[in-house]
Amino acid sequence: ETGVTQTPRHLVMGMTNKKSLKCEQHLGHNAMYWYKQSAKKPLELMFVYNFKEQTENNSVPSRFSPECPNSSHLFLHLHTLQPEDSALYLCASSQEGTGKETQYFGPGTRLLVL
Amino acid sequence: GENVEQHPSTLSVQEGDSAVIKCTYSDSASNYFPWYKQELGKGPQLIIDIRSNVGEKKDQRIAVTLNKTAKHFSLHITETQPEDSAVYFCAASPNQAGTALIFGKGTTLSVSS
């Protein structure tokens, strides 16, 4: 596997379910990100992890809970979501501190909340 | 904080024509400006980027220009092909460690043959 991978690619869940999204980067990067992409809106940054430490949380509701066990893996735990949370959730990674902090994205998880 | 505006939201061109997408940013501290292409069912892919110490950068049919004074940057695609059809996003960042990108809303480019 190369680049940034995400599983599952598609997810349908009820509002009372608990599920987790997984992201793995094979690029040796030290920073990982979760973005939300909704129709007609810019990509919205949700969380940033730098060297496994959460450095940014953009006022995301507590029903979204990130976890970064190491610099290669990132999870987004979901519980009691709302229909408006339906969107494409994108993971990205970058190598911070090198002067070229380009972010590389995974294919995303398409989430539908019923 | 940074705010990025992108225009137009949709752009339709004939194959072989040129396409131009423009973005403006608000934070003068931003010094890194990548462009991403997102095809259906895929995540955004970096196609070109530019830093504030450069006014123009070119890679085959794609070029990006930056005007720091006016705080705007543009993506130019020449000799467009149907496979260029996608959503294009501009972004800006102060490029400091741990600082994420701020994205524009995207431009849907359609190239008809």
Side-chain angles (χ1 to χ4, degrees):
Chain A
E1 290 264 30
T2 58
V4 181
T5 58
Q6 291 186 243
T7 55
R9 294 294 310 277
H10 302 272
L11 178 62
V12 179
M13 59 186 291
M15 289 189 284
T16 58
N17 291 159
K18 289 184 179 181
K19 296 287 184 183
S20 295
L21 309 185
K22 179 183 176 182
C23 175
E24 184 173 0
Q25 59 95 0
H26 310 268
L27 300 169
H29 290 165
N30 56 18
M32 296 186 77
Y33 311 77
W34 279 118
Y35 287 89
K36 176 183 179 182
Q37 186 176 33
S38 304
K40 309 296 184 184
K41 295 177 70 174
L43 277 76
E44 301 172 60
L45 177 68
M46 300 175 72
F47 301 103
V48 180
Y49 276 84
N50 206 319
F51 294 97
K52 300 187 299 177
E53 298 294 323
Q54 185 174 310
T55 58
E56 195 161 340
N57 172 349
N58 273 14
S59 303
V60 179
S62 59
R63 55 186 184 269
F64 294 92
S65 175
E67 178 189 0
C68 188
N70 55 61
S71 58
S72 298
H73 294 85
L74 185 65
F75 294 90
L76 187 63
H77 303 299
L78 317 171
H79 64 98
T80 60
L81 294 191
Q82 303 298 311
E84 59 263 30
D85 296 323
S86 299
L88 180 68
Y89 289 84
L90 291 161
C91 173
S93 71
S94 67
Q95 183 61 26
E96 297 297 309
T98 62
K100 188 169 176 61
E101 282 76 3
T102 302
Q103 292 185 24
Y104 296 87
F105 286 83
T109 294
R110 176 71 62 185
L111 173 66
L112 177 62
V113 181
L114 301 175
Chain B
E2 178 64 276
N3 181 52
V4 176
E5 298 286 339
Q6 182 172 348
H7 299 280
S9 56
T10 60
L11 180 60
S12 296
V13 300
Q14 290 287 323
E15 182 177 3
D17 288 350
S18 295
V20 180
I21 302 170
K22 299 181 179 182
C23 288
T24 60
Y25 62 99
S26 61
D27 189 349
S28 57
S30 288
N31 58 10
Y32 175 60
F33 308 93
W35 284 90
Y36 287 84
K37 175 184 180 182
Q38 186 174 23
E39 297 175 313
L40 201 61
K42 298 183 179 180
Q45 301 295 310
L46 179 74
I47 55 172
I48 195 167
D49 56 12
I50 192 168
R51 295 181 185 275
S52 57
N53 58 347
V54 176
E56 183 175 359
K57 185 176 178 181
K58 191 173 182 180
D59 183 3
Q60 299 183 342
R61 298 186 296 108
I62 294 173
V64 56
T65 58
L66 171 66
N67 184 326
K68 286 176 55 181
T69 303
K71 294 183 191 170
H72 66 71
F73 56 112
S74 300
L75 178 71
H76 304 254
I77 305 174
T78 59
E79 300 172 30
T80 54
Q81 301 167 4
E83 51 265 38
D84 293 329
S85 297
V87 181
Y88 291 81
F89 293 94
C90 64
S93 169
N95 205 27
Q96 297 166 359
T99 303
L101 296 169
I102 305 300
F103 285 85
K105 289 187 177 182
T107 296
T108 301
L109 173 64
S110 299
V111 181
S112 53
S113 56

